[in-house]
Every structure is written in C-alpha cells, then in structure tokens.
Amino acid sequence: MPKLFLVLSVWLLSVAAVSAAPGAVRCGKLLDVRRGQLLSDQVVTFDADGMITSVGPSAGSTTSAIDLSQATCLPGLIDMHTHITADPRDNGYAGLGNSVPREAVSGVKNARLTLRAGFTTVRNVGARDYTDVAVRDGINAGEIDGPRMLVSGPALGITGGHCDDNLLPYEYHHTSEGVADGPWAARAKVREVIKYGADVIKICASGGVLSKGDLPGTPQYTPEEMQAIADEAHKLGRKVAAHAHGTQSIKDAIRAGIDSVEHSSLIDDEGIALAKQHGTYLVFDIYNDDFILQEGAKVGMLPESIEKEKKLGRLQRENFRKAFQAGAKIAYGTDSGVYPHGDNARQFAKMVEWGMKPIDAIQASTINAAELLGWSEKVGSLEKGRYADVIAVDGNPLADVKTLESVRFVMKGGKVARNDFAK
Ligand SMILES: [Zn+2]
C-alpha cells in the first residue's frame, strides 16, 4: 500500500498546484498586443485550470471580478535571457565562495522578484549544476512563487571559453560541467543536459564579457560543432540559444541553424540579412551595460570585464537599432543576474531610446518571445485558450513605456501573485 499512497499523494499535490478557482478580471483598459490597440472596459474570464475562457467588453456589473477598472492590463511579460540563480555579487573571485545549494536559494528569491515585476514567463539560459531545473520544478509543484520557466541547465562551451570557468590555476583542475569539445562530445553533452531536465540548449559561440581570459569578438565553437549541437537538439525537440557577441560567430550560429542569437553585439549587415533569411531571433540585452559600467567594479566584476563592456556596450545598442530597422526578428532578453533581478523591465525604455516604438518593445516581450519559445498558443497574449497571465499598470504604456517598471498587479494562471490595487 505505501506505493499506492505515494502515487496518490503525488497526484493530489500536482492537482493542488495547478488548480485555481475560476474567476474574472475587469480592466479599465486592456492592451491588445497583436494590434497595438488599447481597448476600454474589458473583462477577462478564466477557468479553474487558469486558462482564459473569454476576453471582451464588460457587460454591466461583474461584481465577482477582480477590480482593475482604474488600470491598464497587459499579458504577462516574458524575458528570454535570465540567470535566475545568479546575482551580481557572484561575479569574479567572490563568486567562487558561492556553493551550488546557496545558488539554488538565490534562485528561490529571484524567481519571486521576477514574477512580482510582471514577468510571468522566462527562459533561463545557463545555471550551474541544474539549479534552474530545481527552481523550475519547485515553481511547477506550487511550492515556491515564480514565473513559468524554460531552463537550460549548464551552458555548453569550449575549454577555456566563456562558458568554462577560468578563474583558478591549473592545479585546481576545475572545468565547468557544460564544457564539451568536438562535434560528438557536444552532441553527448546535449543528450546529458536533456537527461537532467533541460527544456532548451544554451551554448557559447563566442567569447564574452564576464569571463576571464577570452575576447567577446573571437569565435569559440566551430561551425561543425554548432551544426552537431543544433541537429541533436532539434532531433530531441529542443531549441538552441547561442551566446554570440562576435561578428563571425553570429553568422556561424545562424548558418548552423541555431534558433536565437543572444547579445548579437557585433552583428554586421550580412549577419542581419542572414538572421532575416533564416528567421533567427536576435536577443539584444541592451540595458545591463548601464549597470556593469556603474556598479560592476563594486560587485566584484573583473577589471578586464569592465574594459570589455566599455568597448561593446554602445556598439551593441547601435547594432540593435540597425537590426530592428532592417526588420530582423527581435525578442526581449535582459541577462538578469548580471544586474539585480526584478529590474527586468528597465530594458523597455532602452529599446525605445534606441529606435523602437513602445508597442514594438512590448511585442518583443510578449508575442515575439512566445513564438521563440514555441509557446504561442500558451502565453504572450490575452486571448481565449491561453494562460490567464495578466499584469496591470497605472497609465498608458504606449505613451510611457516606463510604466512597465512599476507593475502593480500580477496574475499567473488565474492565481494572483501581487495586487497593489487592492490596498
Ligand atoms: Zn547570459
């Protein structure tokens, strides 16, 4: 009997985790993110599974609805590039004192901050020892608060590259768990991270900023290695996100069939044309430059990292504008963990400063991000059949995108995570 009891308990737990009561939200304004239109006095209804059953004009009094009649509702936001188990203080040599269990505890704290900031879905691209898998599973079991998470576990990379850990001398024999050199070793590593819970594969195609001894502009994975990774991941039903600052690596990644290029800092015209041709998403993390340059030294980032960022930050923003104006597909991703979690929405204003209209930036964080996740039918818009992931702000985000930095209501799957309007 114990076995049956166990099965029953697990079943009951999972039911408890997903069940919400059916209900409704009444919105003074509601942003139709697909059309870029603000609709007045709308009601969103949802069922006990937390799925939207209808969206439409309020028909008189809906007394049982959550009252957001003074607010503007939007679909929950999506961040495609988070490191939810990392904090800024974990950089450089200070981070070596941080244990894997401690990192998981940080993840619990950061998942809650991210959800309360209005981000109801994130793609976590890189975490030590599967701490992100643990946080995702804790959220899905209803044990802790946080966004829906698609996670990568450890990022794949070459020996001595951005996704290795190069802080210690040889005698410590320390190599990051995602290191895999050569096409077959890289294929095996894809299989391994999927075995331990990865929803998406993260790789380091080029050098990076916050790593020791490499250069952001130089290639790391070869085209051959990236083709093997993309082929193996796609065969097993996973997408691949490639960290790539360098001009050549961006093109190699796109040609290899990688699904999204992260950072994209030194992309050139040919790279932009290739991204359009292949339908590859570009994810430009153009807010965190401010944080690295202002706070990086204080939180322990290496002097060489600050120097690299000084060379890269402005170029990345200029290339973001170029890629957007050329019509490349752009999804919202911020590299949270480089800067403090919960400030994820600060990038909207940067994207507007560098050439987007507010609705373009909002689409990058809703319908575009959902498409890149492969979750267009689940998240990214307030439409029948999607999760009731609803956020609300004061004022009009189409007029002032900074309103998204002060989200006052958050609902995920019909469950209220934050409601400052009720106070
Ligand atoms: Zn990152």
Side-chain angles (χ1 to χ4, degrees), residues 225-297:
E225 287 168 320
M226 285 198 270
Q227 279 157 20
I229 290 166
D231 182 57
E232 190 65 31
H234 292 160
K235 175 166 75 69
L236 297 173
R238 306 299 198 278
K239 294 193 179 193
V240 186
H243 158 110
H245 290 287
T247 313
Q248 187 60 46
S249 297
I250 292 166
K251 294 184 229 185
D252 290 345
I254 295 170
R255 288 197 181 101
I258 299 295
D259 302 278
S260 69
V261 174
E262 311 297 304
H263 310 298
S264 310
S265 310
L266 302 174
I267 195 166
D268 64 3
D269 291 342
E270 190 189 13
I272 291 169
L274 275 171
K276 285 177 69 179
Q277 186 192 328
H278 288 254
T280 314
Y281 265 100
L282 303 177
V283 178
F284 290 87
D285 53 328
I286 59 168
Y287 159 66
N288 64 54
D289 180 52
D290 286 7
F291 182 84
I292 295 173
L293 297 183
Q294 283 159 27
E295 307 292 328

Side-chain angles (χ1 to χ4, degrees), residues 36-302:
Q37 284 171 355
L38 270 182
L39 309 170
S40 293
D41 203 15
Q42 300 283 303
V43 172
V44 181
T45 62
F46 50 89
D47 63 18
D49 294 327
M51 311 304 286
I52 295 173
T53 46
S54 69
V55 181
S58 144
S61 71
T62 32
T63 45
S64 60
I66 297 167
D67 181 20
L68 301 174
S69 56
Q70 303 305 310
T72 302
C73 296
L74 299 88
L77 304 170
I78 307 173
D79 190 332
M80 300 303 290
H81 194 126
T82 68
H83 298 281
I84 218 146
T85 60
D87 277 311
R89 61 162 188 255
D90 303 335
N91 277 287
Y93 283 91
L96 288 176
N98 207 22
S99 70
V100 167
R102 182 69 183 85
E103 197 170 294
V105 171
S106 295
V108 172
K109 168 193 63 114
N110 294 332
R112 181 169 180 274
L113 289 173
T114 304
L115 179 64
R116 286 179 61 79
F119 287 79
T120 51
T121 304
V122 302
R123 188 180 65 162
N124 203 70
V125 282
R128 278 200 299 164
D129 281 338
Y130 303 93
T131 47
D132 54 356
V133 170
V135 173
R136 176 200 67 191
D137 291 351
I139 292 167
N140 290 348
E143 294 167 8
I144 58 172
D145 291 334
R148 303 178 195 289
M149 287 182 71
L150 277 92
V151 307
S152 71
L156 278 60
I158 66 163
T159 297
H162 177 63
C163 287
D164 197 355
D165 185 345
N166 311 318
L167 293 166
L168 293 168
Y170 175 74
E171 63 266 33
Y172 288 92
H173 304 291
H174 177 62
T175 300
S176 290
E177 65 274 28
V179 168
D181 296 304
W184 276 105
R187 270 188 195 269
K189 191 59 81 174
V190 171
R191 295 170 186 171
E192 184 181 308
V193 295
I194 290 174
K195 170 179 172 175
Y196 292 111
D199 304 302
V200 58
I201 307 301
K202 164 76 183 297
I203 70 165
C204 284
S206 83
V209 172
L210 299 177
S211 44
K212 188 182 171 192
D214 65 342
L215 295 167
T218 58
Q220 294 193 346
Y221 266 138
T222 65
E224 208 185 357
E225 287 168 320
M226 285 198 270
Q227 279 157 20
I229 290 166
D231 182 57
E232 190 65 31
H234 292 160
K235 175 166 75 69
L236 297 173
R238 306 299 198 278
K239 294 193 179 193
V240 186
H243 158 110
H245 290 287
T247 313
Q248 187 60 46
S249 297
I250 292 166
K251 294 184 229 185
D252 290 345
I254 295 170
R255 288 197 181 101
I258 299 295
D259 302 278
S260 69
V261 174
E262 311 297 304
H263 310 298
S264 310
S265 310
L266 302 174
I267 195 166
D268 64 3
D269 291 342
E270 190 189 13
I272 291 169
L274 275 171
K276 285 177 69 179
Q277 186 192 328
H278 288 254
T280 314
Y281 265 100
L282 303 177
V283 178
F284 290 87
D285 53 328
I286 59 168
Y287 159 66
N288 64 54
D289 180 52
D290 286 7
F291 182 84
I292 295 173
L293 297 183
Q294 283 159 27
E295 307 292 328
K298 285 177 230 165
V299 297
M301 290 176 188
L302 301 173

